[in-house]
């Protein structure tokens, strides 16, 4: 009996289903792709430990990666449509799209927000030559390492989604999300507060975190939704430092969905005022770590033999 199709084997059939240019529901795409792959009725009943059907899980991952790579788009939640780039990808690989093909299709991670598409595909484990972990190398990992690698890839996928959602929302929502994160990290203490300033007259400060009930210690925050592939330079950080001085403040946090240039980071390190720069990569990682904008979907327990019991 042959092995069931892997998640990447679902990519070409999924794009084939979408090639009519219409918007399709994810479940319909999964079923149609399974038909093209000739997945048997028996295989369609197989489940993964969470209880989800294996073929649906794998086909949904394929759709997720295709959307992240720009080969498909999601006009509304749970529905997909092929893009022009997706048509080109399918035309280039009509007999099947591999994970390696998709990485090559995504392109330069520094050129756009597709950084997270590559990171989700490759994981964050690299060998001595800097190469990403391939399926062949994954087989060489012990079970715990494979779990860790899987979690890293899931986090990379969620991180990309978080930044896309934050960038698509309105400025007020982003600023409040940033303040929620700072409070979740423990700043503000038991009696502290976080206040978002008025959008029309914020003076270069988007939020203020009082770390004590009297407001004697404050953190000033600037939160900017720049394009995910943008680079924030020194002038923006200089303006933020000027806003801090205008408020007689000696510490501030500049948080963005984009990234900072070397000049911006060097300037922040050189001024007496304590300025912490948090780019999109670190922002997403912190939101996942402190549970802001995410929820736990599944908890995995790893057991070992209790030696004391047998002694």
């Amino acid at each position: 009996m042959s092995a069931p199709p892997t998640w990447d084997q679902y990519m070409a059939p999924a794009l084939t289903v979408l090639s009519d240019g219409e918007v399709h529901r994810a479940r319909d795409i999964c079923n149609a792709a399974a038909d093209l792959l000739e997945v048997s009725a028996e295989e369609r009943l197989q489940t993964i430990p969470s209880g989800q059907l294996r073929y649906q899980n794998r086909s949904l991952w394929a759709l997720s990666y295709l959307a992240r790579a720009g080969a498909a788009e999601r006009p509304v939640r749970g529905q997909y449509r092929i893009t022009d780039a997706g048509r080109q990808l399918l035309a280039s690989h009509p007999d099947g799209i591999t994970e390696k093909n998709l990485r090559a299709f995504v392109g330069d991670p520094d050129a756009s927000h597709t950084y997270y598409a590559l990171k989700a595909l490759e994981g964050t484990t690299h060998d001595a030559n800097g190469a990403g972990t391939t399926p062949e190398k994954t087989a060489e990992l012990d079970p715990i390492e494979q779990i860790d690698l899987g979690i890293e890839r899931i986090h990379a996928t969620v991180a990309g989604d978080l930044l896309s959602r934050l960038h698509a929302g309105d400025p007020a929502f982003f600023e409040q999300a940033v303040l929620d994160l700072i409070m979740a990290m423990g700043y503000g203490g038991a009696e502290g507060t976080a206040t978002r300033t008025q959008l029309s007259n914020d003076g270069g400060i988007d939020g203020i975190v009082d770390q004590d009930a009297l407001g004697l210690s404050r953190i000033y925050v600037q939160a900017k939704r720049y394009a995910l592939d943008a680079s924030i330079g020194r002038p923006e950080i200089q303006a933020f430092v000027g806003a801090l001085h205008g408020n007689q403040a000696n510490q501030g946090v500049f948080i963005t969905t984009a990234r900072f240039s070397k000049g911006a980071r060097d300037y922040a390190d050189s001024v007496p005022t304590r300025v912490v720069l948090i780019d999109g990569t670190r922002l997403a990682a912190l939101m996942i770590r402190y549970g802001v904008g995410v929820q736990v979907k599944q908890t995995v327990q790893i057991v070992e033999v209790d030696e004391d019991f047998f002694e």
Side-chain angles (χ1 to χ4, degrees):
M1 186 170 106
S2 61
T6 58
W7 73 265
D8 56 347
Q9 289 177 305
Y10 277 93
M11 288 193 289
L15 288 179
T16 300
V17 174
L18 293 171
S19 61
D20 63 2
E22 300 297 324
V23 177
H24 293 266
R25 295 187 307 169
R27 183 178 296 275
D28 295 337
I29 300 170
C30 294
N31 292 330
D35 291 340
L36 292 174
L37 289 170
E38 298 182 348
V39 178
S40 68
E42 181 182 358
E43 289 175 333
R44 297 191 195 204
L45 295 177
Q46 296 174 357
T47 61
I48 59 177
S50 67
Q52 186 181 25
L53 295 174
R54 177 180 281 111
Y55 87 94
Q56 288 186 357
N57 176 269
R58 292 183 177 182
S59 54
L60 287 172
W61 274 111
L63 283 172
S64 176
Y65 283 131
L66 288 171
R68 190 163 318 292
E73 60 184 2
R74 284 178 281 205
V76 295
R77 182 179 179 182
Q79 299 186 24
Y80 293 81
R81 177 172 54 207
I82 196 170
T83 64
D84 290 340
R87 294 184 188 279
Q88 295 174 9
L89 178 64
L90 181 60
S92 301
H93 307 282
D95 298 327
I97 302 169
T98 65
E99 186 173 336
K100 182 178 180 180
N101 297 148
L102 194 62
R103 285 201 301 270
F105 168 77
V106 169
D108 182 4
D110 293 327
S112 71
H113 66 276
T114 50
Y115 164 80
Y116 279 106
L118 283 172
K119 188 172 181 183
L121 281 167
E122 296 182 357
T124 55
T125 301
H126 295 78
D127 60 23
N129 297 320
T133 301
T134 63
E136 293 78 11
K137 293 179 182 177
T138 300
E140 300 173 2
L141 303 177
D142 65 46
I144 301 299
E145 290 173 326
Q146 292 187 37
I147 291 173
D148 290 342
L149 178 60
I151 291 174
E152 287 174 350
R153 295 180 68 163
I154 291 172
H155 282 188
T157 299
V158 173
D161 286 342
L162 282 172
L163 290 181
S164 296
R165 296 286 188 91
L166 290 173
H167 186 260
D170 59 63
F173 179 84
F174 178 59
E175 292 170 6
Q176 188 59 54
V178 163
L179 293 179
D180 290 344
L181 172 61
I182 292 176
M183 294 295 287
M185 293 172 66
Y187 296 97
E191 298 182 351
T193 60
T195 305
R196 184 166 55 83
T197 57
Q198 294 296 321
L199 291 174
S200 60
N201 188 28
D202 61 17
I205 302 297
D206 296 318
I208 301 172
V209 177
D210 290 326
Q211 299 197 78
D212 58 82
L214 298 178
L216 297 176
S217 178
R218 286 182 164 180
I219 298 175
Y220 290 80
V221 180
Q222 186 165 103
K224 297 301 178 188
R225 296 176 314 133
Y226 287 87
L228 303 183
D229 59 346
S231 179
I232 297 176
R234 173 171 173 159
E236 289 89 344
I237 309 306
Q238 284 180 308
F240 180 48
V241 171
L244 293 176
H245 290 168
N247 285 275
Q248 290 79 49
N250 58 8
Q251 56 187 3
V253 183
F254 194 120
I255 302 181
T256 180
T257 51
R259 50 198 170 95
F260 296 100
S261 68
K262 184 177 184 301
R265 293 189 178 279
D266 289 344
Y267 176 76
D269 291 338
S270 68
V271 295
T273 304
R274 177 60 173 158
V275 177
V276 176
L277 305 182
I278 298 179
D279 61 12
T281 302
R282 190 178 179 192
L283 170 61
L286 288 172
M287 290 181 70
I288 292 173
R289 178 178 178 182
Y290 291 96
V292 176
V294 299
Q295 59 183 353
V296 176
K297 180 178 180 180
Q298 181 179 351
T299 300
V300 177
Q301 291 185 325
I302 300 176
V303 300
E304 64 179 6
V305 172
D306 184 350
E307 297 293 349
D308 292 337
F309 175 83
F310 288 98
E311 290 178 359

